[in-house]
Amino acid sequence: MKKKNKLKHRQKKRNHLSFRLNVLFFVVFLLFSALILRLGFVQIVEGETFVSELASTTNATERHDAPRGVMYDRFGHVVVDNQLELSVTYTNPSRTTRAQTMLDIAQDLEPFIEVETDRVTPRDKRDYILLNMSEDERYELVTREERRELDGPSAEYHLEIERITDEQIDSLSDQELQVAAIYREMARGYANSPQRIKQRITDEEAHLISENLDRLPGIDIARHSSRSYPYGDSFQSLFGRTNQIPSERVDYYLSRGYERSDIVGTSFLEAQYEEVLRGQKAIVESVTKREGTRTIDRTVNERLGQRGNDLVLTLDMELQQRLEDIIDEEIRKSGNSFILDRSAYAVLMDPRTGDILAMAGFWDQAVSDRNSYADHDGNINKAFEMGSSVKAASVLTGFHAGVASPGTRFNDRPIYLPNTPPKRSWNTSGFGWIDDRRALEQSSNVYMFEIGMRMANCYYTAPNTSCGWSTGSGGTIERAYQEVRNNFSQFGLGSETGIDLPSYSSGLTGGSESGGNLLDLMIGQYDNYTTLQLAQYIATIANDGYRMEPRLVREIREPSTNQNEQGAVIQKFEPTILNRIEMSDAHISRVQQGLRDVMTRGTARGNFANASYQPAGKTGTAQVKVAVGQGDHRRVVDGNTQSLVGYAPFNNPEIAFAVVVPDVKLGSNGGRQGIAQEISKLALEAYFELKENRNGAKPIDEPLLEEVNID
């Protein structure tokens, strides 16, 4: 009996559950039916109304560039700024906008602005002529019969372009060229993205355009900013340039949220810190409703943009200006001393931190009294044989290799090796037996030769006799090259400096690894180095063997709303040690003493023996041969590249320097000697004077504006 009751209870429970499921399915059916009926009503009954409303409603989103972040020098002077300006722009509302529509707008705009026409290409002119032709005129260019033989509209268009004659191009008036130039810029834009037609429009042009905007669809006056340089071309090349995105980097920038028409940093600091300096665009969203041609409602929502973050540089702009003036004056004083181009380069840096305090370079093809051209980036991308200024690295390399030690004496006399030109010091008769300090003081070549030879297992005993070294793969000469270059690279000679710039030279190595060239390598007359590498090398010795990463940026700051104040610090860059050279403290100290001897009683004593700031350093004179003239008049002229490296004060270095003056004539041919020493002396005097008394960097009357090529 109990079993039957349980079965009945289960049956009743199943029936109740089935009923509830049926009710649920029925409700769902009713809801879907109502939804389908509503969709049908919207599509069939009200569809035309909604389509009509959609057709009369336009949504447009415009993104307006925000100013880039500014750059300050280490003392708070604004060295790269923005100057607001007005530009006339065209925003293409759709990808399907007809070319004729844009041409009509260009023709209407032409009376109100003056544009440059030098970028209008012959192809642009042909396009313009073709757009202005009637249908009949185009059939005269390419007949219907010819068109039937062609493979589609694209082939027809290209044949039409080819048929336009040079006479038709030459007959274009100035006004027509203006229209073609305007149309060219309009056609290069992208849908819903403002395209600059002309930068820096005048007040009169702005007024005329503003008064006629109602009949210039898509045309607007926008606020833009250009880079301005309050100190003219001082350090300008290393600040870098901005321009439209290079074609080879379009994909890179698009993947990071840029638009094709954006202005980006394209070189040096502007490129290196692009993500920091770029501003946040203002976004303007507008919804316009029309009835026929009449606007009945327009809603505009704007999200304000923000200027990019700021950079605080290591640069001392006042010292930079002094250094530039010093180099410029010394080059002009040197008159006809250069074989061809007149040039000089100098880097001043803090050896303790790697801060670049000043970096100036000038280059001038013409031998005249006019100012030289700024070539500041030549310090990082032009490499030279630096001569004896690298001998401190040579001595330390010898110490580290165990072929010499502090106090080791070698006989400085001419060396005659088989199949090698005679090797001697500048004092052709030799200095006799000298130790390492005396070798640095008097810039002995032979002392460095002896180090190089011993590293290659060569022991010179008599003229024109084999000394024991071997050539070829795995030979002692090859091993010596490798060991010398490995040691030199610890100082930054021949290796990457690590400076915060997107590109720079790491120098050049010589070709044939012969025994004679090994000796030249030891005296800085084989491999080539940049001026910055030379500065990093001497700074490493000044800093007791710690090689610091050179840097141009100290801090990143928020944009300030107060022109006289800097924003809050976002990121502070601490000094970076790249490596500690493998030489011992005792060996480094010994070479430091030798560098001090150079300035007090050696090859630089004339300029520095009595200097109150107690410098240490090393002179260099690399022999060069420069080809001059053309054709039958071409000849080779002997000269030298002058260099000087050093630091001060000797006991507590706070500034390291490198100065290079390439391709100076020999003294016997009228070349002025000691140019590098004079520049170095004046630069150090300027640095220590500014420690006591500052007048501030001197801005020019009108800031220099960067020209951005809209191309």
Side-chain angles (χ1 to χ4, degrees), residues 1-18 20:
M1 186 69 179
K2 289 182 179 180
K3 190 173 183 180
K4 288 183 178 180
N5 288 337
K6 286 182 179 179
L7 290 173
K8 287 181 179 180
H9 179 71
R10 290 176 182 172
Q11 184 67 35
K12 184 177 180 180
K13 191 173 181 180
R14 280 198 297 269
N15 292 339
H16 182 68
L17 181 61
S18 177
R20 284 192 294 178

Side-chain angles (χ1 to χ4, degrees), residues 295-316:
T295 300
I296 60 173
D297 184 47
R298 188 166 188 262
T299 304
V300 177
N301 298 313
E302 181 174 1
R303 188 181 76 189
L304 297 178
Q306 181 177 328
R307 179 164 66 81
N309 292 322
D310 300 334
L311 299 180
V312 179
L313 308 183
T314 62
L315 179 70
D316 178 347

Side-chain angles (χ1 to χ4, degrees), residues 390-539:
V390 307
K391 286 178 178 175
S394 299
V395 172
L396 281 168
T397 294
F399 288 170
H400 185 61
V403 299
S405 59
T408 296
R409 292 160 58 86
F410 293 131
N411 184 12
D412 187 315
R413 76 293 189 203
I415 294 177
Y416 303 92
L417 294 170
N419 304 313
T420 301
K423 298 292 184 181
R424 54 172 62 93
S425 294
W426 62 269
N427 179 356
T428 56
S429 60
F431 292 103
W433 289 93
I434 56 174
D435 66 7
D436 51 292
R437 283 184 61 172
R438 176 72 171 165
L440 288 172
E441 173 195 308
Q442 293 300 321
S443 198
S444 165
N445 287 344
V446 174
Y447 198 95
M448 311 307 151
F449 296 156
E450 289 284 0
I451 289 174
M453 287 189 296
R454 280 165 166 72
M455 290 181 68
N457 198 38
C458 169
Y459 293 84
Y460 180 74
T461 56
N464 299 314
T465 59
S466 176
C467 66
W469 56 18
S470 59
T471 60
S473 178
T476 59
I477 291 176
E478 183 186 54
R479 292 201 302 270
Y481 270 101
Q482 184 175 357
E483 188 174 1
V484 170
R485 284 173 174 157
N486 285 344
N487 279 282
F488 277 25
S489 69
Q490 295 183 47
F491 299 90
L493 296 172
S495 61
E496 294 187 355
T497 62
I499 191 170
D500 49 343
L501 290 172
S503 62
Y504 52 86
S505 171
S506 295
L508 299 169
T509 56
S512 172
E513 294 185 347
S514 66
N517 289 337
L518 173 63
L519 306 190
D520 291 338
L521 175 64
M522 301 301 297
I523 62 170
Q525 295 212 189
Y526 192 55
D527 287 357
N528 288 236
Y529 313 112
T530 66
T531 309
L532 179 60
Q533 287 178 315
L534 204 63
Q536 188 182 43
Y537 138 73
I538 197 63

Side-chain angles (χ1 to χ4, degrees), residues 352 542 647-655:
R352 302 162 297 185
Y647 55 90
F650 171 68
N651 291 322
N652 186 24
E654 59 188 69
I655 182 171

Side-chain angles (χ1 to χ4, degrees), residues 35 76 175 278 284-285 297 326 373 383 397 433 452 462 495 585 674 690:
L35 180 61
Q175 181 181 7
R278 68 177 298 204
V284 180
E285 297 177 336
D297 184 47
I326 289 167
Y373 300 113
T397 294
W433 289 93
S495 61
D585 291 340
L690 290 176

